[in-house]
Amino acid sequence: MKRRLAVDLSSDCAGIKSPNPFWLASGPPTNSGEQVMRAFERGWGGAVWKTLGQDPPVVNVTSRYGAIDLGTSKIAGLNNIELITDRPLSVNLKEISQVKKRFPKRAVIASLMVPCERKAWHDIVRKVSDSGSDGLELNFGCPHGMSERGMGAAVGQVPEYVKMVTEFVKEKSSVPVLVKLTPNITDVRVPARAARAGGADGLSLINTINSLMGVDVETMIPKFAVGEKAAHGGYCGPAVKPIALNMLSSIANDPETLGVPLSGIGGISNWSDAVEFMLLGASSVQLCTAVMHHGFRIIDDLNAGLEGWMRRKNFSALTDFVGRAAARVVEWKRLDLHHKTAAVIDPAKCIGCEVCFVACNDGAHQCIDLRPGSRVPRVRARDCVGCNLCALVCPVDGCISMKTVETGLKPLTWEQYAAAGMKGYRLGRRKRRHAS
Amino acid sequence: MMASSTGRSAWRDNLAELKKPLSPEAVRLEASRCLYCHDAPCIQACPTSIDVPRFIRQLASFDPLGAGKTILEANPLGHSCARVCPVPVLCEGACVYAAWNDEPVRIAGLQRYATDAVHSADALPFDPGPESDLRVAVVGAGPAGVSCATYLRRLGFAVTIFEKRRLPGGLNTFGVAEYKMDRRTSLEELRLLFRLGCSVVTNREVGRDLAPKKLLRDFDAVFLGPGLAGTRDLGILGEDLPGVVDAISFIERVKARRGRGLPSGERVVVVGGGNTAIDAATQSVRTGAKRVILAYRRGLADMPAYDFEVALAKTDGVTLLMNAVPKRVLGLRKAESVEFARTSTKAGRLIESSTELFTLPCDRVIKAIGQRKENALPRAFGVALNGDGTIKTDPDTLRTSRRGVYAGGDAVNGGKEVVNAAADGKRAAWGIHRALRPGVPPPPDNEYWISTL
Ligand SMILES: Cc1cc2nc3c(=O)[nH]c(=O)nc-3n(C[C@H](O)[C@H](O)[C@H](O)COP(=O)(O)OP(=O)(O)OC[C@H]3O[C@@H](n4cnc5c(N)ncnc54)[C@H](O)[C@@H]3O)c2cc1C
Ligand SMILES: Cc1cc2nc3c(=O)[nH]c(=O)nc-3n(C[C@H](O)[C@H](O)[C@H](O)COP(=O)(O)O)c2cc1C
Ligand code: SF4
């Protein structure tokens, strides 16, 4: 019998080692030692402790989370206005040591946030260093509450502060330092470069996105409110994944931060989400909302899914594939103008809902026709611009596929086209014909 | 087989509505399944053209009252239709999920949720039109008449409904199986609609208590919605023995919850193969009959009843007896048994055996072999009939052969469903408007329903 490929899930992110790449992100699931121990029992590779701060601890408000549901799917997006840990520092540190003692091989990362003063940072780094944590994560991302007090995102949004505080920490820390970035910024590469310049060993991203959940149209009070008033909060969960992926890949591809270890966060719900982050450069991933929604038990299918995929793809270690897809994310001007695809509807699979027709006709490029006596629409391939919309709205898997049209033309990018004085583009401009 | 019980309170439970309302969670789930088809087959399958995807989208976006309005615009009887429509052969049967081998979206359940919301809000989603001095008389407060009256009021006509019975609603109140919709629901629906300002005169039979001539004189137009007449006779010996009843009166008694004459512990023979026969059989079981046999003269595949109705009868424990035609009802002072002859079909023709006879003992015989056409009223109005006894109408306006007289519902289509009668009432109202106010556009807020014609 042929033996199955040995698959090693262990991860090394900026020198922080864990038996698998799945870490609990700093948040409610890592509030206490009791929780983290249960998560480790279940199999989690690491945990970033709920952000620690100075004593006296912060005070939280009640009514803290709000969510967006899509149809019957609960929590497509989650908003929160919780602050950092509301427990005394000494209690957290004691529990971190207990966890490390019981689970020496799992990664425990202490997330930190104190005011922008050298002494405050030196103090907390010193206190934490005795706890046995494997790394530090500097929370420059919390977008609500703490930022009003000059911490969290208020630091992450000013590259000079990012660099300065990172330097404060590096002056004292004996363990690897990750800087957690805020997405509430125009170009995330700028604070990433600053963190690197300040000596960060790695970057983790994203923290939550500024958001307001909505307004209750009956009471006209914002959702979710503290009494009758609300404050903006931080948005996370499945809805934010594309934003996180874009930020992650832009850092992975930035010449100034090339090769910096990355811990991917934002909207990861399952193993394939995690693989996507890893393919774009993350060597560990962190989850918060998915755990708040479904509990620690999801680690079972995260590990199993990742392992099964690696086996199918013949990867024996994470390093075999981390970053593999990053270079495929390029600037628009590098895309091939001569590449052409067209939609094809499989009549055997079509159920005749005609939603593709409406979508193309009203919302795209008017190249799907209805034929009298048939509910199966037909694409005029010649006119199809290959936008994908019909395939996206079609409810049947595999019914509409986007097929590559062989044009026989040499690739032509916008860069080349513009350099050649707008000459050389060979795909004829479409003649507009209206569906009757 | 369902437990048949002889206790009075038990049969009350057995008559409770079979289909339970959907929970808000189930509504969310179902609404999110709707694909929002273009030119949706469910709309096409609905005789009143309710914009099903639109109202489902309104439910999905937490607007049940808006959804209710969409429904009631196209079909004022949407509240009862959600319960009584044979949806497997209408909207749900047309749902594209069928092509996917999946359950159709539960359109009826969603519709019920929406119209229930309208009823709990106790707010009709539309107003009467600006009053005009044109008057229309509606004969019959069945689904056809009520639908017509609703739209006439929205167009601003003064409307008087004449109904020969004590209560309005026609078969919706007196005929529809109680476990599909109870009488109270039908009456609630009417109460809300009549708020548009129809005057409803009950216990008034046109042709007997009121001369057609007078109506034609006092009103600018008349709509006839008399439905069908009583059940056909079997035309056999012993038919007038006590214990032989017609299905419609039997069902009526069940719906009125009148215990006397109900088949507690009896053996019942139902004669007929249509939906009414099924309703009579299942309601016999549900009111405590010990054994119910449904006898039909042709084969199972020939039964006019819908498959899902036949299936319900089977689960209720009704015995289906095919290829049997009744020859005599036997009994001394009351029906004691029915003598049947075996039948067979040769080249499509039904042949009765003269030798193969058998008798079934029973305490009650229910006749359900179809209803006669109502022809006294149309004759009194002097309107032309088709060969089959239905009233002849123009398909676009539902005008009869006589100017100013319109007709719709069972009396015109020969006996279909509530939703067909509702569609007819809508068409006739628009026909009446066009005839009485030629060239005048409808008052505001009427465009939408007119577009559903
Ligand atoms: C037993 C049974 C069960 C049914 N079940 C269903 C079902 O589950 N689903 C479904 O969709 N359909 C069902 N139907 C069919 C449905 O009830 C009819 O198609 C529908 O009621 C027809 O409406 P209508 O207004 O034309 O007639 P009707 O409902 O018959 O109403 C006619 C009205 O006119 C009145 N009237 C008659 N003559 C006069 C007069 N001269 N003066 C004053 N008033 C008069 C009558 O009293 C009656 O109220 C069923 C029918 C029967 C018989
Ligand atoms: C209720 C809540 C509290 C959070 N608290 C912290 C925190 O204290 N420190 C921190 O760095 N991030 C905090 N986060 C952000 C998460 O660590 C994570 O970056 C974000 O939720 C995106 O990941 P997700 O989409 O998997 O939830 C919090 C998130 C939530 C929902
Ligand atoms: S891919 Fe876009 S343009 Fe082509 S048929 Fe589909 S919707 Fe229309």
Side-chain angles (χ1 to χ4, degrees), chain B residues 296-376:
Chain B
Y296 179 53
R297 59 194 174 126
R298 295 174 189 270
L300 198 61
D302 308 311
M303 281 179 77
Y306 299 124
D307 293 347
F308 55 89
E309 295 283 11
V310 177
L312 175 69
K314 283 190 190 154
T315 35
D316 270 8
V318 173
T319 307
L320 301 178
L321 173 64
M322 294 295 112
N323 289 303
V325 65
K327 298 310 293 175
R328 284 190 292 173
V329 182
L330 306 168
L332 219 47
R333 250 176 236 107
K334 57 179 282 290
E336 284 166 8
S337 64
V338 187
E339 184 183 77
F340 284 95
R342 275 274 165 220
T343 67
S344 54
T345 23
K346 275 218 183 73
R349 273 198 39 215
L350 194 71
I351 299 166
E352 276 180 41
S353 162
S354 51
T355 51
E356 267 185 277
L357 299 176
F358 62 99
T359 52
L360 287 177
C362 65
D363 310 291
R364 180 186 297 267
V365 182
I366 301 180
K367 304 184 282 186
I369 56 167
Q371 286 166 267
R372 281 177 283 112
K373 301 292 180 299
E374 160 61 51
N375 49 29

Side-chain angles (χ1 to χ4, degrees), chain A residues 200-214:
Chain A
D201 300 285
L203 304 172
S204 42
L205 72 160
I206 57 174
N207 209 311
T208 56
I209 305 174
N210 281 343
S211 63
L212 186 75
M213 243 14 222

Side-chain angles (χ1 to χ4, degrees), chain A residues 69-348:
Chain A
D69 301 339
L70 283 182
T72 49
S73 294
K74 304 285 283 181
I75 313 195
L78 179 76
N79 172 309
N80 88 88
I81 54 167
E82 254 176 18
L83 305 179
I84 60 173
T85 183
D86 49 15
R87 306 183 321 147
L89 183 62
S90 58
V91 173
N92 279 310
L93 293 177
K94 198 174 95 215
E95 291 180 5
I96 291 177
S97 330
Q98 286 166 350
V99 170
K100 258 330 275 187
K101 234 172 249 135
R102 242 191 92 192
F103 296 95
K105 295 241 145 63
R106 312 298 171 92
V108 175
I109 296 100
S111 169
L112 307 178
M113 183 198 291
V114 291
C116 285
E117 298 147 14
R118 173 177 263 121
K119 181 170 179 317
W121 282 97
H122 282 182
D123 278 355
I124 192 145
V125 170
R126 184 173 40 77
K127 285 180 184 150
V128 168
S129 65
D130 299 334
S131 67
S133 24
D134 305 282
L136 304 178
E137 187 181 82
L138 313 187
N139 180 347
F140 296 162
C142 182
H144 49 268
M146 302 312 291
S147 51
E148 295 168 20
R149 302 171 201 180
M151 295 179 261
V155 178
Q157 286 164 343
V158 184
E160 295 73 26
Y161 290 178
V162 172
K163 177 164 178 283
M164 178 183 79
V165 174
T166 310
E167 282 165 355
F168 294 163
V169 174
K170 284 299 288 180
E171 284 160 11
K172 289 282 169 212
S173 179
S174 54
V175 291
V177 175
L178 303 175
V179 168
K180 184 167 177 181
L181 298 173
T182 175
N184 301 305
I185 186 153
T186 319
D187 185 349
V188 77
R189 290 175 302 182
V190 178
R193 290 170 193 155
R196 202 56 175 149
D201 300 285
L203 304 172
S204 42
L205 72 160
I206 57 174
N207 209 311
T208 56
I209 305 174
N210 281 343
S211 63
L212 186 75
M213 243 14 222
V215 180
D216 181 323
V217 294
E218 296 308 321
T219 60
M220 294 182 253
I221 295 173
K223 286 180 202 169
F224 50 105
V226 178
E228 296 199 347
K229 293 205 177 82
H232 84 265
Y235 199 46
C236 52
V240 311
K241 191 183 94 180
I243 298 169
L245 288 177
N246 176 49
M247 293 191 163
L248 187 95
S249 67
S250 72
I251 293 174
N253 286 330
D254 180 16
E256 295 188 38
T257 49
L258 213 57
V260 62
L262 297 170
S263 183
I265 321 170
I268 299 172
S269 308
N270 54 45
W271 67 269
S272 67
D273 292 338
V275 168
E276 292 174 48
F277 276 83
M278 293 196 254
L279 286 171
L280 290 173
S283 41
S284 80
V285 290
Q286 304 185 26
L287 290 82
C288 180
T289 306
V291 178
M292 291 174 71
H293 194 167
H294 305 293
F296 299 130
R297 59 198 165 140
I298 61 172
I299 189 60
D300 301 353
D301 43 85
L302 290 169
N303 275 330
L306 175 61
E307 189 183 323
W309 176 80
M310 285 174 66
R311 203 161 260 136
R312 267 193 292 120
K313 294 288 172 194
N314 241 346
F315 294 138
S316 53
L318 304 188
T319 43
D320 292 349
F321 65 89
V322 164
R324 270 243 190 164
R328 294 204 168 126
V329 181
V330 296
E331 285 171 292
W332 199 98
K333 66 183 181 202
R334 302 251 158 82
L335 301 174
D336 179 12
L337 300 172
H338 277 159
H339 177 71
K340 181 167 165 66
T341 61
V344 178
I345 300 174
D346 181 352

Side-chain angles (χ1 to χ4, degrees), chain B residues 94-382:
Chain B
C95 179
V96 295
Y97 272 98
W100 222 349
N101 299 320
D102 201 349
E103 291 296 313
V105 173
R106 290 156 77 182
I107 298 170
L110 294 174
Q111 176 165 329
R112 174 170 175 176
Y113 185 83
T115 64
D116 280 354
V118 170
H119 275 266
S120 14
D122 197 27
L124 203 60
F126 29 69
D127 298 313
E131 299 296 339
S132 82
D133 47 11
L134 292 166
R135 293 157 48 86
V136 183
V138 170
V139 181
V146 169
S147 162
C148 189
T150 304
Y151 290 111
L152 287 169
R153 285 299 299 141
R154 295 186 59 189
L155 290 164
F157 296 101
V159 177
T160 309
I161 307 179
F162 298 99
E163 167 56 54
K164 73 174 175 193
R165 317 246 353 204
R166 184 174 53 87
L167 292 173
L171 289 170
N172 241 1
T173 302
F174 291 105
V176 165
E178 192 69 358
Y179 53 78
K180 284 189 197 157
M181 174 173 72
D182 56 25
R183 171 178 286 194
R184 194 178 43 89
T185 307
S186 167
L187 294 175
E188 274 169 11
E189 175 173 54
L190 297 168
R191 191 180 47 78
L192 196 62
L193 292 174
F194 289 157
R195 239 188 249 166
L196 283 170
C198 314
S199 37
V200 186
V201 185
T202 48
N203 290 315
R204 193 74 54 91
E205 179 171 348
V206 176
R208 206 193 62 174
D209 311 323
L210 196 62
K213 235 195 252 148
K214 185 169 161 47
L215 282 194
L216 290 168
R217 198 177 55 229
D218 292 352
F219 292 87
D220 299 284
V222 179
F223 175 81
L224 305 179
L228 298 172
T231 310
R232 281 202 204 94
D233 287 334
L234 297 171
I236 57 174
L237 219 65
E239 187 165 359
D240 33 16
L241 280 172
V244 183
V245 292
D246 77 88
I248 311 258
S249 351
F250 167 71
I251 292 167
E252 203 178 306
R253 277 209 293 272
V254 171
K255 287 183 68 75
R257 304 290 214 263
R258 267 191 270 143
R260 212 167 70 90
L262 283 172
S264 249
E266 285 184 350
R267 296 160 302 172
V268 176
V269 169
V270 179
V271 180
N275 293 316
T276 301
I278 299 276
D279 285 359
T282 50
Q283 281 169 112
S284 294
V285 175
R286 285 163 188 277
T287 48
K290 212 159 56 194
R291 190 204 66 197
V292 179
I293 294 173
L294 184 147
Y296 179 53
R297 59 194 174 126
R298 295 174 189 270
L300 198 61
D302 308 311
M303 281 179 77
Y306 299 124
D307 293 347
F308 55 89
E309 295 283 11
V310 177
L312 175 69
K314 283 190 190 154
T315 35
D316 270 8
V318 173
T319 307
L320 301 178
L321 173 64
M322 294 295 112
N323 289 303
V325 65
K327 298 310 293 175
R328 284 190 292 173
V329 182
L330 306 168
L332 219 47
R333 250 176 236 107
K334 57 179 282 290
E336 284 166 8
S337 64
V338 187
E339 184 183 77
F340 284 95
R342 275 274 165 220
T343 67
S344 54
T345 23
K346 275 218 183 73
R349 273 198 39 215
L350 194 71
I351 299 166
E352 276 180 41
S353 162
S354 51
T355 51
E356 267 185 277
L357 299 176
F358 62 99
T359 52
L360 287 177
C362 65
D363 310 291
R364 180 186 297 267
V365 182
I366 301 180
K367 304 184 282 186
I369 56 167
Q371 286 166 267
R372 281 177 283 112
K373 301 292 180 299
E374 160 61 51
N375 49 29
L377 188 75
R379 287 246 164 80
F381 274 89

